[in-house]
Amino acid sequence: MHALRRARRGLAATAAAGSALAALFAATPAQASTADATATVGGSQVKCTSQRPGLAARLSKDIAGALHGRDHAAALALYDRATGTSCDFRADTAFDSASVVKVTILGALLRQSMEQHRALTAHEVELTTAMITKSDNDATNALWHQIGHAGIQHFLTLAGMGDTVPGPKDYWGHTQVTAEDQLRLLRLLTSDNSVLDRDARTYALRLMNRVVPEQRWGTPAGAPATATVQVKNGWLPRDTHGWRVHSVGVFTGGGHDYGLVVLSQDNRTMADGVMTVEGAAHAVNRDLNTSTAA
């Protein structure tokens, strides 16, 4: 009889422990669930979502603060795979691309060479290197005409960049782009996909990592020293909407895996545009690389 009671007590203790363990595991998904947050700046909202507690609220607040007073003339898009984070601010708004379209031109050439089952020629290597690392316009003109409107559009369709409209004739800098589509391109360059193979992605990122020092402003502002930074910037003055100043950046290595796009226009000077872009970039790079979000 005593042995039976002891056995029953043992079973009860085991059941209680099992219940506590089940409750612990049941709580884990909730702790890792995605949280959304928004912050209003001007007449628009910064919308963020993240799996890291507190990060979405912090990012939305800080991005809104950085863009205060520039909200009508800027757009931003962000992904961070490490924390399951994404943010967007006017990410579907169209801007003249200026030179950030050069990454799209490179992608179109790499896709074209894949479909032709060939490596880039020595001349193409020379042109793409000048186009990306020095933002050389003559090299861009040559590649723009070589690939052709159909080749550019073919790549955009494959990449799912449906809001990007190639510029007319020689005006590749007037291509219409959105922060959302530019971020889609950055995702494509940093993940396995059927559009660009590993060799093509590695080549594109290597060129973006080798951009000359005087053009490494923009999204890299405030980036951690442990990250490998890949960047391409664009700047273009026009009679309407003043200076367009844009920056797209990818941050990898050292545990980092994120991409950031900041577009701007209506800048009085190029320096004003750089200040707008870097203000937002500083906020994002700081918040993503703070170990605990407030």
Side-chain angles (χ1 to χ4, degrees):
M1 192 67 177
H2 293 298
L4 181 59
R5 283 199 294 268
R6 285 196 299 271
R8 286 174 175 169
R9 285 197 297 270
L11 287 171
T14 300
S19 297
L21 193 59
L24 176 63
F25 282 109
T28 301
Q31 293 168 354
S33 64
T34 301
D36 300 325
T38 61
T40 301
V41 53
S44 303
Q45 287 189 323
V46 180
K47 302 175 183 177
C48 293
T49 182
S50 181
Q51 293 179 357
R52 178 189 286 178
L55 182 56
R58 182 174 182 174
L59 274 168
S60 59
K61 175 178 177 292
D62 290 349
I63 291 170
L67 293 177
H68 179 70
R70 299 291 301 140
D71 50 275
H72 66 288
L76 179 147
L78 163 74
Y79 74 80
D80 178 29
R81 294 189 180 100
T83 60
T85 298
S86 63
C87 292
D88 71 81
F89 174 71
R90 302 177 73 239
D92 59 352
T93 302
F95 292 76
D96 287 333
S97 67
S99 287
V100 293
V101 74
K102 293 173 181 178
V103 182
T104 298
I105 295 170
L106 175 60
L109 175 67
L110 292 170
R111 175 65 195 186
Q112 200 172 71
S113 68
M114 284 173 55
E115 293 181 352
Q116 295 169 353
H117 304 289
R118 66 174 182 82
L120 295 184
T121 66
H123 186 51
E124 288 170 337
V125 170
E126 180 183 354
L127 290 175
T128 53
T129 300
M131 178 177 69
I132 299 297
T133 66
K134 299 177 182 177
S135 206
D136 186 275
N137 290 338
D138 290 338
T140 307
N141 290 336
L143 290 170
W144 178 259
H145 289 295
Q146 174 184 321
I147 299 163
H149 186 279
I152 298 291
Q153 187 57 59
H154 177 58
F155 174 72
L156 292 173
T157 300
L158 292 176
M161 297 168 66
D163 292 328
T164 300
V165 181
K169 296 183 180 179
D170 297 334
Y171 295 100
W172 44 263
H174 294 183
T175 296
Q176 296 299 289
V177 299
T178 65
E180 184 175 44
D181 266 7
Q182 288 295 293
L183 195 73
R184 189 171 285 113
L185 177 58
L186 298 185
R187 287 182 181 273
L188 200 69
L189 293 176
T190 55
S191 62
D192 292 337
N193 61 83
S194 60
V195 181
L196 295 174
D197 62 24
R198 181 181 296 275
D199 288 344
R201 299 194 308 271
T202 299
Y203 182 75
L205 291 174
R206 185 166 66 244
L207 290 183
M208 293 172 69
N209 177 247
R210 291 170 51 197
V211 165
V212 293
E214 58 268 27
Q215 294 181 21
R216 296 187 69 80
W217 46 265
T219 49
T226 52
T228 299
V229 177
Q230 291 96 174
V231 64
K232 184 68 193 83
N233 296 325
W235 55 98
L236 173 70
R238 296 190 67 185
D239 292 338
T240 59
H241 295 295
W243 278 86
R244 284 84 166 149
V245 180
H246 312 317
S247 183
V248 302
V250 171
F251 307 84
T252 57
H256 307 288
D257 188 2
Y258 63 99
L260 174 63
V261 176
V262 188
L263 309 179
S264 72
Q265 62 183 17
D266 292 310
N267 298 291
R268 291 184 301 104
T269 65
M270 181 177 170
D272 287 342
V274 173
M275 187 178 302
T276 295
V277 171
E278 292 195 340
H282 268 292
V284 168
N285 284 316
R286 180 187 64 240
D287 290 354
L288 285 183
N289 295 288
T290 298
S291 58
T292 56

